[in-house]
Every structure is written in structure tokens, then in C-alpha cells.
């Protein structure tokens, strides 16, 4: 069974691994990026089926990455989950993303939501 | 800034000059009117003497004079006689000229012989005296013909005075010229002395005042500078305090945020284990992961409260007022309470009263925080019985009521319960959990939303917290 490619853009390694486990269980094949720039570069080569974006990144701000993702026409159908610990920030960005998850993100909730957004064959 | 010293220098100089000039002027006016009055009465007295002693013998000559020619009159022996007599009378006096007129304006006698025979009928002074009123005038003469010689630069006071006959009728006019030069000189000297005196006094006064003003100016300047200094000190202190407060809030927010990420990992991996992603776990291992999740949950709640408090303290908290469906809102949040309550063996009751509107306005996030704080407290402190959540409407208000069958709160603690960091432990020693931030946040949020929170509690029977909110919310910031 083919797995769907997914991007996890998150600078905290252990949290990124955790998300990775959840996405794998939801039948995705996640790639991990600690920097927004790397992820944007990788987008030249591959179109993911789901993007998890942490809003606090070391290089670009999560918002900048989000803006660039949304400007990319080939990602028009790729759902983006925003992850943040700042609830006010989350409120502000709610309408910009498919889903905004407030940290700490529940493992089972993430797995559930990722599965729900999985492309239908 | 106001320059007191300069202001004083200019205004006082002007004022002092004006004072000296005015004093001099008024003295002159008063003194001259005195001089005129005194000289006039002297001239009148002299005329009186003339009327008494010389007029009776001179009168018949006067009545004839009209018919004589000027030369005849000037050379008449009677004229010479009168001249001698008058000169004798006036010896030692300051009178420098005397003239006599008849009722037709004819100069029948003058100590200046050339003037005898002239007519003065057109002279206002003469006419005034002929009708009974003395007319006087003070003039300065460059040259003046006195009895025996010509005098120069004199102040001459002259009066036309009526001459009364024995019957009391005016029979002629007497004109007297009095040399008042010494008097005028004395008067002017006195005037100069007065002005000088005043100037000296004022100058003294000016210097005394000047030094007082200079000192006052210095003091004012000093105080002004001190005031500005303390103002700038205060501003600096305020800025520093603000910066410190902002730093504190930012630090708190950052710390809370940075703690959530590792907490995310802790809770996430515990969940992975519980879910058996890495293989089935034993009941003992399950107990351990439960314990990890529960403790992490407590820590998370603490961090959330700390973050909420930081936002309240920073004053940056803004309400995002949007439409809310209360029933949907409660349906969304109540399952987690049900899980928590049933896990502790408590009964869970949740109800939205029928008269609560289908839609209300409010800040969803902070309303959730209020309910979450109240209900999780109730569940936390209640060991048996149940917890009730009621959404109610009361006239123009609506709100939440959270009731439990917990240990209750003693009346002494009730007063303090809404204070930050106040945690009541008397009713349940050893079982107190949380950091006591929750209720203070509930109180502050309720007030911020234009509502309030009240409580009722009976020890060992339970507590009930009621949050009331206005149906018309405070519209701080309305979005969509």
C-alpha cells in the first residue's frame, strides 16, 4: 500500500518524531524539516499530501512559511495544520489554515485528524 | 521660562520714573496754585492800601484825565506826585510796576510813563476787574521796565484789581506787577529737591527689591530645574518599571510557551505507549503512563494559568467578541469534564436552561477558560457525589453555575479565594492541588467581560460558583 508524503516542519526533534509516529499510523510517509527554508526547497521536488507547520521556527517565521506555502499553486489541495503554543496566535490564524492545533497536541487527536484529511483514492 | 529678574527690572524702572515725574508734577501744580493765590491776595491788599490812602486825593484827577491828551497826561504835575507817593509806599516791596485805569480803559497812571494815555478797553483782565473780578496772570519776561531800571529774566505776577470808592462802587482799576522770581526759583528748587529725594528713595528701594527679586528668581529657577529633574527621574522610573513589567510578561509568556513543547513530547510519548503503538503494555506500565499523563496535565494547567495571568497582568488582553451558540459551546467542552468526573467516580450533570438564547456574543476562548477553571476545580476537590454545570439566563444576564458536593470552603477562606496565588487548604488538607491562579483569573475575566463571579459554600456540603455575564457584551473588539 502506497503511503502519502507529508512534511513536518518543526524544530524540536522529539516533538517532530512524535508527530512523525502519528502520521505514520495515519498512513503517511513523513519527512522532517527543522528549518522552513529546507522545507520550501524540498517542495521544488515533491508535493506532499499534508503539511504540519510549527509557527515558531529558527529561521523563517511560521507565518512567512505559511504565506509562501499558500502562494504555491501546486499546494492548493494540500491541507496545512498549524501547530502553536500561543492560543491568541492560533485564534488569529484560524481562518488561514485547514486546522490549527494548540500545543501540546494530543497524539491520538493528531493521528485522527491526519487520517481524516488523507486524500481519498 | 518666566524671567522674573528681567521683568522686574523693566517694569519697576518704568514705574519708578513715572512715580518721580508725577510727584514732581503734582508738587509744581499745587505749589504754583498756592503761589498764585498768595500773590493775588498780596496784590489785592496793596490795591486796598492804594484805595484807602491815595485814591481819595487822586480820584478827581482821574475824572478829568479823560479830557486830556496823552502828552498832557504824561507831563501833568499830578502824575509826578503820584509816582513819588507810590514809590514811597512801595519801597522795600517786590512790586515792580503799578498802573491805574479809569472806567473807560484809559491808563491815567503808570510807573512806566510812556504807557500813560494808552487805552486798555480791549484787555480781558481789565474788563474782568472793571466788572468786579480780580484777574491775575503769571508770566516770564525776558526784559521788563521796572520803576527805575529795566530788569531781565523775571517771573512777573500781575493782577487787575477793582478800586472801590466810598460808596462801594467800582471807580477804577488798579494793576500791580509783582516780581515773584525768587519765589518761583525757590519753588523750582524745592521741586528739584523733591524729585531728587524721590529718585534717591526709589533707587534705594529699587536696589533692595532688585536683590530680593534676584534671590527669588534664583530660588524659582532652582525649583523649576529641580522639578524638571524629578519629572525626568519619574519618567525614567516609570519607563523602567514599564519595561520591567513588559519584560516579565514576555518572559512569562516565553517560559510558558517553551515549556509546552517538551510537555507536548512527554504527553505524546506517554500516549504512544498507552495506545500500544510500540506493543502492548502491562497494567503496571499503564498505571505509570497514566501517572505521567496526569502529572503532565497538572503541569499543563499550571502553565496555561500562568500564561493567562501574564496576559491579564500585561493589560494586553483583548476580548474577541464573536457570536457563540451556547448549546454547541457546552456540547463541545463537556465531554472532557465527563471523562474527568467519571474517572473519579463522580456523577456529571450538564444542562443549558431553555430560556438561554440560541446565540450570544462573547469571547469563546476566555469563556472556555472560565468554565474550564470552575469545573476542573470542582472535580479536583470533590471526592464523592457529583458536579453540575448549568447555563442559565436571568433577565438581561446569562452565565454559568458550577456546583459540587465537595468539602466546601470555610467562611474565613471565602473572602480570599479570588485572590491570585491564594489556595484554600483548610477544608481538604493534603489534597489541595493547582496553584490557586484559576479562581483569580475567573474573577478578573468575568469583570473584564462586564460581569462578576459569586460563590456560596457550606463546609462539608459543597460549593457553588456563579458567573454572571451581560447579554450585551462589552464590545472591545468585534470581529466578524
Amino acid at each position: 500500500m502506497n503511503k502519502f508524503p507529508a512534511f513536518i516542519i518543526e524544530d524540536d526533534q522529539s516533538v517532530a518524531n512524535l508527530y512523525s509516529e502519528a502520521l505514520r499510523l495515519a498512513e503517511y510517509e513523513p519527512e522532517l524539516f527543522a528549518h522552513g527554508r529546507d522545507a520550501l526547497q524540498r517542495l521544488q521536488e515533491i508535493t506532499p499530501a499534508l503539511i504540519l507547520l510549527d509557527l515558531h521556527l529558527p529561521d523563517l517565521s511560521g507565518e512567512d512559511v505559511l504565506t509562501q506555502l499558500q502562494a504555491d499553486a501546486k499546494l492548493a489541495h494540500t491541507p496545512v495544520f498549524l501547530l502553536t503554543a500561543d492560543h491568541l496566535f492560533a485564534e488569529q490564524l484560524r481562518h488561514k489554515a485547514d486546522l490549527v492545533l494548540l500545543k501540546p497536541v494530543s497524539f491520538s487527536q493528531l493521528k485522527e485528524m491526519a487520517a481524516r484529511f488523507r486524500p481519498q483514492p | 521660562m518666566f524671567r522674573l529678574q528681567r521683568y522686574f527690572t523693566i517694569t519697576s524702572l518704568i514705574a519708578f520714573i513715572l512715580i518721580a515725574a508725577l510727584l514732581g508734577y503734582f508738587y509744581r501744580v499745587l505749589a504754583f496754585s498756592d503761589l498764585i493765590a498768595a500773590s493775588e491776595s498780596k496784590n489785592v491788599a496793596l490795591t486796598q492800601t492804594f484805595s484807602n490812602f491815595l485814591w481819595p486825593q487822586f480820584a478827581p484827577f482821574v475824572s478829568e484825565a479823560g479830557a486830556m491828551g496823552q502828552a498832557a497826561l504824561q507831563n501833568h504835575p499830578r502824575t509826578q506826585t503820584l509816582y513819588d507817593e507810590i514809590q514811597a509806599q512801595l519801597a522795600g516791596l517786590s512790586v515792580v510796576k503799578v498802573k491805574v485805569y479809569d472806567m473807560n480803559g484809559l491808563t491815567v497812571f503808570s510807573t512806566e510813563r510812556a504807557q500813560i494815555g494808552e487805552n486798555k478797553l480791549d484787555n480781558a483782565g481789565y474788563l474782568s476787574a472793571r466788572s468786579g473780578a480780580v484777574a491775575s496772570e503769571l508770566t516770564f519776561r525776558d526784559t521788563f521796565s521796572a520803576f527805575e531800571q529795566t530788569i531781565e529774566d523775571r517771573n512777573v505776577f500781575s493782577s487787575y484789581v477793582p478800586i472801590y470808592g466810598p460808596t462801594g462802587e467800582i471807580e477804577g482799576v488798579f494793576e500791580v506787577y509783582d516780581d515773584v522770581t525768587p519765589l518761583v526759583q525757590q519753588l523750582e528748587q524745592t521741586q528739584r529737591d523733591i524729585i531728587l529725594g524721590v529718585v534717591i528713595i526709589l533707587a534705594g528701594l529699587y536696589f533692595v527689591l532688585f536683590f530680593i527679586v534676584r534671590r527669588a528668581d534664583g530660588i524659582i529657577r532652582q525649583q523649576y530645574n529641580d522639578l524638571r529633574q524629578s519629572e525626568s527621574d519619574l519618567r525614567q522610573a516609570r519607563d523602567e518599571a514599564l519595561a520591567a513589567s513588559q519584560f516579565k510578561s514576555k518572559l512569562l509568556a516565553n517560559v510558558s510557551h517553551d515549556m509546552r513543547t517538551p510537555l507536548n513530547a512527554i504527553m505524546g510519548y506517554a500516549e504512544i505507549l498507552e495506545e500500544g503503538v510500540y506493543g502492548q503494555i502491562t497494567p503496571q506500565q499503564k498505571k505509570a503512563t497514566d501517572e505521567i499523563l496526569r502529572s503532565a496535565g497538572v503541569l499543563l494547567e499550571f502553565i496555561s494559568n500562568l500564561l493567562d495571568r501574564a496576559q491579564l497582568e500585561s493589560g494586553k488582553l483583548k476580548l474577541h467578541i464573536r457570536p457563540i451558540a451556547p448549546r454547541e459551546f457546552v456540547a463541545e467542552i463537556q465531554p472532557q469534564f465527563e471523562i474527568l468526573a467519571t474517572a473519579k467516580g463522580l456523577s456529571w450533570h450538564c444542562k443549558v436552561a431553555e430560556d438561554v438564547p440560541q446565540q450570544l456574543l462573547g469571547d469563546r476562548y476566555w469563556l472556555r477558560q472560565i468554565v474550564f477553571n470552575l469545573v476542573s476545580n470542582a472535580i479536583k476537590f470533590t471526592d464523592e457525589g457529583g458536579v453540575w454545570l448549568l447555563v442559565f439566563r436571568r433577565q438581561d444576564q446569562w452565565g454559568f453555575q458550577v456546583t459540587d458536593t465537595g468539602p466546601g470552603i470555610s467562611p474565613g477562606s471565602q473572602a480570599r479565594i479570588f485572590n491570585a496565588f491564594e489556595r484554600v487548604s483548610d477544608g481538604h488538607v493534603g489534597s489541595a492541588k493547582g496553584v490557586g491562579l484559576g479562581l483569580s483569573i475567573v474573577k478578573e475575566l468575568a469583570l473584564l467581560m462586564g460581569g462578576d463571579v459569586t460563590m456560596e459554600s457550606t463546609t462539608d456540603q459543597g460549593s457553588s460558583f456563579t458567573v454572571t455575564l451581560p447579554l450585551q457584551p462589552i464590545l472591545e473588539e468585534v470581529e466578524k
Side-chain angles (χ1 to χ4, degrees), chain A residues 55-69:
Chain A
L55 285 174
H56 297 264
L57 293 172
D59 56 347
L60 299 166
S61 87
E63 257 186 304
D64 290 343
V65 177
L66 182 63
T67 309
Q68 295 197 35
L69 291 180

Side-chain angles (χ1 to χ4, degrees), chain A residues 10 12 14-15 17-19 21 25 56 85-88 91 94-95 102-108 111, chain B residues 257 260-261 263-265 267-269 271-272 275 277-278 300 307-308 311 320 322 364-366 480:
Chain A
E10 159 71 65
D12 187 288
S14 69
V15 173
N17 286 334
L18 178 70
Y19 297 160
E21 290 284 6
L25 288 176
H56 297 264
D86 187 334
H87 67 86
L88 285 180
E91 282 287 324
R94 178 157 280 174
H95 60 283
L102 200 58
K103 284 185 180 181
V105 179
S106 155
F107 176 80
S108 49
K111 187 182 72 182
Chain B
H257 172 264
R260 277 170 186 250
T261 303
L263 207 53
N264 196 358
M267 294 178 89
Y269 284 108
E271 263 191 274
I272 287 184
E275 291 220 349
V277 177
Y278 297 153
L300 180 62
L307 195 63
D308 289 351
Q311 266 174 351
H320 299 268
R322 264 170 287 194
R364 192 183 183 85
Y365 175 79
W366 291 111
K480 288 183 200 167

Side-chain angles (χ1 to χ4, degrees), chain A residues 87-88, chain B residues 308-321 361-363 365-367 369-370 439-453 467-470 472-477:
Chain A
H87 67 86
L88 285 180
Chain B
D308 289 351
R309 173 131 294 278
Q311 266 174 351
L312 280 172
E313 295 257 312
S314 71
K316 271 189 258 165
L317 191 140
K318 280 204 168 135
L319 295 177
H320 299 268
I321 306 292
L361 286 172
D363 184 309
Y365 175 79
W366 291 111
L367 286 174
Q369 292 300 92
I370 288 176
L439 284 176
S440 76
I441 290 171
V442 168
K443 175 89 174 176
E444 279 181 55
L445 285 172
L447 292 176
L448 203 65
M449 292 173 176
D452 202 0
V453 55
V467 176
T468 50
L469 299 164
Q472 287 296 319
I474 297 172
L475 292 178
E476 254 192 85
E477 188 178 316

Side-chain angles (χ1 to χ4, degrees), chain B residues 110 124 152 161 200 204 238 285 310 313 325 336 474:
Chain B
S110 170
E152 288 180 343
V161 188
I200 289 170
R238 187 201 59 193
Q285 286 168 334
E313 295 257 312
Q336 56 179 327
I474 297 172

Side-chain angles (χ1 to χ4, degrees), chain A residues 12-34:
Chain A
D12 187 288
Q13 191 62 42
S14 69
V15 173
N17 286 334
L18 178 70
Y19 297 160
S20 175
E21 290 284 6
L23 294 196
R24 258 190 216 107
L25 288 176
E27 291 171 33
Y28 288 90
E29 186 56 55
E31 273 188 60
L32 272 53
F33 301 93

Side-chain angles (χ1 to χ4, degrees), chain B residues 159-422:
Chain B
S159 305
Y160 289 93
V161 188
I163 302 166
Y164 294 93
T167 55
E169 278 186 17
I170 295 170
E171 294 181 347
V173 172
F174 196 65
E175 192 186 3
V176 193
Y177 290 81
D178 191 7
D179 179 7
V180 292
T181 308
L183 288 177
V184 169
Q185 276 173 349
Q186 197 188 351
L187 190 143
E188 282 174 344
Q189 181 59 45
T190 309
Q191 186 190 10
R192 278 194 294 275
D193 289 351
I194 285 176
I195 290 175
L196 185 67
V198 167
V199 165
I200 289 170
I201 291 169
L202 289 181
L205 191 63
Y206 173 79
F207 281 112
V208 170
L209 286 178
F210 178 81
F211 284 110
I212 293 172
V213 165
R214 199 170 71 160
R215 177 98 182 87
D217 197 33
I219 292 170
I220 290 170
R221 221 166 271 263
Q222 182 62 42
Q223 287 179 342
Y224 178 76
N225 289 338
D226 289 353
L227 197 67
R228 284 185 55 155
Q229 182 59 43
S230 56
E231 235 174 57
S232 102
D233 287 353
L234 272 177
R235 203 173 297 127
Q236 197 185 339
R238 187 201 59 193
D239 290 348
E240 280 169 9
L242 272 177
S245 166
Q246 274 166 4
F247 176 75
K248 191 193 77 181
S249 297
K250 198 160 167 34
L251 183 75
L252 211 51
N254 281 346
V255 166
S256 297
H257 172 264
D258 289 348
M259 284 170 86
R260 277 170 186 250
T261 303
L263 207 53
N264 196 358
I266 294 169
M267 294 178 89
Y269 284 108
E271 263 191 274
I272 287 184
L273 292 175
E274 282 220 329
E275 291 220 349
V277 177
Y278 297 153
Q280 283 303 310
I281 54 170
T282 66
Q284 263 180 321
Q285 286 168 334
K286 167 87 166 67
K287 216 175 157 188
T289 52
D290 276 349
E291 218 31 60
I292 291 171
L293 281 172
R294 198 193 59 76
S295 298
V298 170
L299 196 55
L300 180 62
E301 189 193 331
F302 166 70
I303 294 165
S304 298
N305 281 341
L306 216 53
L307 195 63
D308 289 351
R309 173 131 294 278
Q311 266 174 351
L312 280 172
E313 295 257 312
S314 71
K316 271 189 258 165
L317 191 140
K318 280 204 168 135
L319 295 177
H320 299 268
I321 306 292
R322 264 170 287 194
I324 294 173
R327 285 168 187 82
E328 209 176 283
F329 173 71
V330 170
E332 198 180 297
I333 60 174
Q334 78 99 21
Q336 56 179 327
F337 299 137
E338 192 169 6
I339 293 167
L340 284 171
T342 44
K344 268 189 93 176
L346 303 171
S347 64
W348 166 250
H349 314 269
C350 180
K351 193 187 166 195
V352 179
E354 281 186 6
D355 57 349
V356 172
Q358 288 302 318
Q359 205 169 57
L360 289 163
L361 286 172
D363 184 309
R364 192 183 183 85
Y365 175 79
W366 291 111
L367 286 174
R368 190 189 164 282
Q369 292 300 92
I370 288 176
V371 177
F372 187 83
N373 270 305
L374 291 178
V375 175
S376 53
N377 262 347
I379 294 172
K380 199 189 298 173
F381 290 116
T382 306
D383 290 328
E384 52 184 317
V387 175
W388 285 259
L389 169 64
L390 171 69
V391 184
F392 63 88
R393 180 184 175 167
R394 201 181 286 160
Q395 283 122 35
D396 56 349
Q397 288 183 316
W398 72 290
F400 307 97
Q401 187 171 48
V402 178
T403 311
D404 65 55
T405 54
I409 296 149
S410 71
S413 303
Q414 286 182 18
R416 295 178 288 125
I417 199 156
F418 292 113
N419 295 346
F421 297 105
E422 195 74 59

